[in-house]
Amino acid sequence: DISIPSSLKTWFMSIYYISIVVMSILSLALLNELWLLFWSPIINCKSIVDFLLINNNFGGIIMGLVAAIITTRSWLISEETITKYYSIYITRIMVIILVLYTIIMTIS
C-alpha cells in the first residue's frame, strides 16, 4: 500500500473527475452534432454545441484543465513507479478531450 497525503489525493481525484465531466460533455456534444447532421431534430431546441460556442469561456476551461493535467503529469514523472496507471489514464483523457474539442469546433 502507498500512503498519499490527503491534499494530494484530493488534487488528483478532482482533476480526474473534472476531466471525466468535460469529456462527457464533449462526447454528448459530438453525438448531438452527428445526430443533427444526419437526421432532423425531433424537438426544436438549441444544440449543446451552440451552448459551447456561445460560451467563450469553455475553451479557456479546457485549456486550464489541460494545463492542470500537464502540471500534475510533470510531478508524476518523478513518481512514475507509484502512480503509473493514474498517469496513463489522465494523459489519455487529456488527449481525448483535445481531440473531441477539435472535432466539435471543426464540425460547427
Side-chain angles (χ1 to χ4, degrees):
D1 292 329
I2 301 167
S3 176
I4 298 175
S6 62
S7 60
L8 193 58
K9 184 176 181 179
T10 302
W11 172 258
F12 287 162
M13 295 311 291
S14 63
I15 293 292
Y16 179 73
Y17 290 133
I18 291 170
S19 299
I20 294 295
V21 167
V22 169
M23 189 174 67
S24 300
I25 290 171
L26 290 173
S27 297
L28 288 173
L30 180 63
L31 290 174
N32 185 48
E33 280 300 305
L34 291 175
W35 179 270
L36 293 175
L37 188 64
F38 295 112
W39 296 285
S40 61
I42 298 172
I43 299 172
N44 189 10
C45 62
K46 287 189 168 261
S47 70
I48 299 172
V49 174
D50 288 340
F51 171 74
L52 296 178
L53 290 176
I54 290 171
N55 188 359
N56 295 330
N57 294 332
F58 198 73
I61 291 170
I62 289 178
M63 289 303 116
L65 180 62
V66 168
I69 291 172
I70 290 171
T71 304
T72 302
R73 176 85 171 107
S74 67
W75 181 83
L76 290 174
I77 289 173
S78 63
E79 304 293 332
E80 186 70 30
T81 56
I82 298 173
T83 56
K84 180 179 180 181
Y85 294 112
Y86 175 81
S87 176
I88 291 170
Y89 290 142
I90 201 73
T91 304
R92 287 180 183 166
I93 289 170
M94 180 184 70
V95 170
I96 291 170
I97 287 173
L98 290 174
V99 168
L100 285 174
Y101 189 68
T102 304
I103 291 172
I104 289 171
M105 291 302 132
T106 305
I107 288 176
S108 55

